[in-house]
């Protein structure tokens, strides 16, 4: 109830997670109804090996979600250019080398945005710790791009 749909993914709710595996549009999102400024977001996700997904934050336009007007904590193990694959923030902070793999198992992202300080922790391992002032507030969005993606335990703590 706290999210709006953008795009046409076949989001389905099961007993303890929400999932999508196809869409008529290229990308589809579940976008929060309210914007957030400083927060710690914890989200568990399961992605198929071929999934293209992400957790977007501080999005400027809740109807137009892109890596240019949001930060995107990527979930994309098979990204053709692995520079900004799983564990990185697209266009802002490269994935660690070797790039972490999230496919075929449950994972946890901990995303903290506190002022200009952004951190990303994947399964207990810090993958991003940067200062960036491009975006200071905005909406959160869960993405389906390809493959199968499941999300559960989406918890937002305002700082």
């Amino acid at each position: 109830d706290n999210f709006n749909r953008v795009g046409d993914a076949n989001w389905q709710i099961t007993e303890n997670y929400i999932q999508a595996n196809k869409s008529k549009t290229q990308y589809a999102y579940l976008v929060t109804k309210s914007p957030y400024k400083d927060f710690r977001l914890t989200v568990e996700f399961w992605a198929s090996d071929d999934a293209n997904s992400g957790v977007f934050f501080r999005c400027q336009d809740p109807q137009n979600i892109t890596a240019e007007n949001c930060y995107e904590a990527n979930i994309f193990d098979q990204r053709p250019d692995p520079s900004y694959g799983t564990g990185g923030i697209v266009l802002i902070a490269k994935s660690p080398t070797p790039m972490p793999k999230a496919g075929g198992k449950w994972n946890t992202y901990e995303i903290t945005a506190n002022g200009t300080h952004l951190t990303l922790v994947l399964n207990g391992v810090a993958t991003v710790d940067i200062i960036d002032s491009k975006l200071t507030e905005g909406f959160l969005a869960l993405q389906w791009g390809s493959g199968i993606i499941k999300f559960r335990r989406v918890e937002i703590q305002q700082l």
Side-chain angles (χ1 to χ4, degrees):
D1 290 339
N2 294 320
F3 293 87
N4 291 316
R5 290 178 182 221
V6 174
D8 194 27
N10 65 335
W11 295 106
Q12 300 171 354
I13 298 173
T14 69
E15 61 188 60
N16 66 349
Y17 59 85
I18 189 164
Q19 76 171 16
N21 65 5
K22 66 181 176 180
S23 177
K24 293 178 184 174
T25 55
Q26 183 178 7
Y27 299 111
Y29 306 89
L30 294 175
V31 182
T32 58
K33 292 182 178 180
S34 300
Y36 293 87
K37 185 173 182 173
D38 295 332
F39 61 87
R40 179 170 295 114
L41 170 66
T42 303
V43 58
E44 294 179 1
F45 66 91
W46 185 98
S48 59
D49 290 330
D50 62 342
N52 175 6
S53 184
V55 179
F56 289 72
F57 57 102
R58 290 188 171 170
C59 298
Q60 302 304 290
D61 180 351
Q63 294 299 314
N64 181 31
I65 307 297
T66 72
E68 288 83 25
N69 69 3
C70 305
Y71 293 115
E72 178 189 2
N74 212 359
I75 304 167
F76 197 178
D77 289 357
Q78 295 183 13
R79 190 172 196 267
D81 171 7
S83 299
Y84 297 108
T86 302
I89 298 177
V90 178
L91 304 176
I92 301 296
K94 292 185 177 184
S95 301
T97 304
M99 183 182 72
K101 299 291 185 178
K105 62 184 178 186
W106 282 101
N107 301 270
T108 302
Y109 257 152
E110 297 171 35
I111 301 166
T112 303
N114 193 1
T116 60
H117 189 197
L118 307 176
T119 61
L120 180 58
V121 176
L122 176 62
N123 298 327
V125 177
T127 60
V128 172
D129 187 343
I130 62 163
I131 301 297
D132 189 90
S133 60
K134 177 179 148 184
L135 306 168
T136 58
E137 181 176 6
F139 297 85
L140 306 173
L142 306 176
Q143 179 196 44
W144 176 88
S146 65
I148 301 168
I149 189 68
K150 302 174 185 179
F151 293 103
R152 68 181 183 193
R153 295 192 58 209
V154 179
E155 300 171 357
I156 303 167
Q157 175 189 5
Q158 295 196 58
L159 301 177

